[in-house]
Amino acid sequence: MGLTELIEFDVIGDDRGNLVSLESFKNIPFDIKRVYYIFETKHEVERGFHAHINLEQVAICLSGSVDFILDNGQSRKTVLLDSRSKGILIKGLIWREMKNFSKDAVVVVIANNYYDESDYIRDYHKFLASVKNT
Ligand code: TYD
């Protein structure tokens, strides 16, 4: 099973600069219900450390860079997000961690559902048990 999929966005550029447009079921492969962003992350902070039961998300690093660590219970992969024109699609039972935020990192996350704490698995051992049961 693939851990993640990178989505390359078309950049609409002209002599004034660049623009990227994100649209449900076009370059974002689901109905967009929520957008949140992470910024001013303190030095050495690591975030994430959870999986979702149902949620699908696309994360884009709009400024600076961050490492996304993705784990499907069998293998682990680190993806450096450092481009405004690339998004990482995270769906299915995937444990994610975010590390090495640059000082200027701004990460926007597009999701197919509202915030729901009951959709989170925040314990790595429970995550591994859930992977075994699927
Ligand atoms: P948390 O899931 O710990 O963030 P991360 O996975 O990036 O480390 O979320 C931090 C807090 O923000 C937590 O109290 C839940 C809350 N939150 C919302 O209220 N809405 C949201 O859309 C998200 C992502 C988090």
Side-chain angles (χ1 to χ4, degrees), residues 52-115:
H52 284 283
I53 299 164
N54 283 313
L55 195 67
E56 296 185 21
Q57 295 180 301
V58 173
I60 309 156
C61 191
L62 292 184
S63 163
S65 63
V66 62
D67 278 331
F68 263 71
I69 290 100
L70 288 316
D71 179 338
N72 63 4
Q74 272 129 27
S75 57
R76 212 160 235 258
K77 173 168 148 186
T78 301
V79 179
L80 172 70
L81 274 196
D82 62 352
S83 166
R84 299 173 175 102
S85 61
K86 270 187 207 134
I88 191 169
L89 172 66
I90 309 170
K91 60 188 250 191
L93 260 185
I94 301 281
W95 181 264
R96 80 285 315 264
E97 299 170 6
M98 288 165 269
K99 298 183 178 175
N100 302 322
F101 285 87
S102 66
K103 214 169 178 242
D104 56 345
V106 179
V107 181
V108 64
V109 183
I110 324 280
N112 75 336
N113 222 332
Y114 302 115
Y115 172 72

Side-chain angles (χ1 to χ4, degrees), residues 34-36 38 46-50 57 98 114-115 117 120 122:
R34 176 167 54 116
V35 177
Y36 63 92
I38 297 167
E46 299 181 342
R47 301 195 65 131
F49 296 89
H50 63 254
Q57 295 180 301
M98 288 165 269
Y114 302 115
Y115 172 72
E117 188 58 38
Y120 280 72
R122 294 192 184 270

